[in-house]
Each structure stands twice: as C-alpha cells, then as structure tokens.
C-alpha cells in the first residue's frame, strides 16, 4: 500500500529531519541525481532505518537498491535482489512470491510488484516512473527494490 501517514518530528533543528522516512528509495534517487555526470551503469544501495505508522510506530531496518543505466529493468533488479538474498541468507528465500502492486506512485504501473515471503509483504520492486525520474533530473531508466531486513532477520 502506497498511502502512509506522514510521521513528523517536533522540535527539530533542521528542516531535513522534520519527517521520518518510510522508504530508502527517494534518498537513493537523490544520490543518483547528484551523480548524473558520472559514468553508467550506476548501482547503489543503502541500509537504514525506516518508520511506518499503523496502530503504533513501527521502526525497522531496510535495504534499498537502485540500478541506473540505459536498459535498467525490473528483470535485472529482481535478479540482483535474488543474488543478494542468496549470498547473504542462502537459498531459503527462493520461495518468494512477487504479486503485482495495486498502486505505488514510485513505480511504473505493471512494472512493479510487492515481495511476499511466508505470506507477509516484505518489500517492493519495480521500474521508477518517468515523472519521478524527471523530478530527480535523471536521464536514464532506473529500477529499484527495497526489502524489510528486520523481518528477514527474524526468520
């Protein structure tokens, strides 16, 4: 589900920290936007805390990955994610299911999916929308995924 409540922080000293982030992908896109004059392909990752508000404040560690070049795709990103999981955790994550995301404003409709493991949504994967690419002044296609590492490490 793409619709989340914004979690704001009172009394911050910087406007950069007024809202707790619920995804790593926007900061990775921002980093790509600062590197548009560098050679492609560019592949970046970040591991960090994210926050979501449901009945209570949920804080967990995510890993986010972006791949940027002229032919970046959902398929390449899925392969990268599967290799990461296999290298770090072994083959037990081979049973992941990818269900089409109903709506996610970061990704192209029909080129994104929710990542399901043990009947729990643990992440999202897809190709970034042209609108988002334009907003970040990116000149090449970008594909990305983000996984809830806290939930993976509990297994």
């Amino acid at each position: 589900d793409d619709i989340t409540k914004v979690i704001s922080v009172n009394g911050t000293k910087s406007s950069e920290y007024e809202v707790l982030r619920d995804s790593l992908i926007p900061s990775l896109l921002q980093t790509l936007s600062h590197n548009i004059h560098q050679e492609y392909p560019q592949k970046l990752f970040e591991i960090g805390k994210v926050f979501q508000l449901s009945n209570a404040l949920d804080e967990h560690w995510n890993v986010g990955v972006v791949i940027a070049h002229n032919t970046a795709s959902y398929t390449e990103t899925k392969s990268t994610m599967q290799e990461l999981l296999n290298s770090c955790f072994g083959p037990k994550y081979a049973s992941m299911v990818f269900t089409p995301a109903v709506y996610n404003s970061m990704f192209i409709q029909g080129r994104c999916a929710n990542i399901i493991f043990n009947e729990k949504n643990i992440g999202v994967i897809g190709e970034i929308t042209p609108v988002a690419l334009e907003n970040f002044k990116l000149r090449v296609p970008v594909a990305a995924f983000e996984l809830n590492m806290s939930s993976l490490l509990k297994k």
Side-chain angles (χ1 to χ4, degrees):
D1 185 43
D2 190 41
I3 309 298
T4 57
K5 295 178 182 169
V6 174
I7 306 166
S8 56
V9 179
N10 294 329
T12 63
K13 305 235 185 274
S14 168
S15 63
E16 261 184 66
Y17 302 103
E18 288 180 350
V19 175
L20 297 177
R21 65 185 175 172
D22 64 352
S23 175
L24 300 175
I25 293 173
S27 65
L28 287 164
L29 293 174
Q30 183 69 38
T31 301
L32 285 174
S33 75
H34 293 301
N35 290 296
I36 59 172
H37 300 296
Q38 300 301 318
E39 194 173 311
Y40 290 98
Q42 293 181 25
K43 299 178 180 185
L44 305 173
F45 77 96
E46 178 180 358
I47 297 172
K49 282 188 180 179
V50 297
F51 302 85
Q52 292 169 335
L53 191 59
S54 50
N55 294 336
L57 183 63
D58 178 30
E59 173 184 336
H60 54 270
W61 289 92
N62 278 12
V63 60
V65 172
V66 291
I67 298 173
H69 59 81
N70 285 331
T71 59
S73 68
Y74 174 92
T75 304
E76 178 185 8
T77 305
K78 182 177 176 185
S79 175
T80 300
M81 184 200 70
Q82 289 171 323
E83 184 58 37
L84 170 75
L85 289 172
N86 194 43
S87 296
C88 294
F89 301 105
K92 68 181 179 178
Y93 291 99
S95 63
M96 282 189 179
V97 176
F98 298 84
T99 62
V102 175
Y103 175 77
N104 189 312
S105 61
M106 281 192 294
F107 299 108
I108 297 171
Q109 189 72 26
R111 300 293 299 156
C112 64
N114 291 320
I115 304 164
I116 311 296
F117 183 70
N118 287 343
E119 299 179 15
K120 183 176 179 188
N121 186 353
I122 62 164
V124 65
I125 185 170
E127 296 175 10
I128 303 297
T129 66
V131 170
L133 295 177
E134 186 177 313
N135 287 342
F136 284 98
K137 298 180 177 27
L138 298 170
R139 302 174 187 154
V140 297
V142 177
F145 71 84
E146 186 165 351
L147 291 170
N148 178 333
M149 295 300 289
S150 294
S151 123
L152 291 175
L153 293 171
K154 289 178 188 174
K155 305 295 176 208

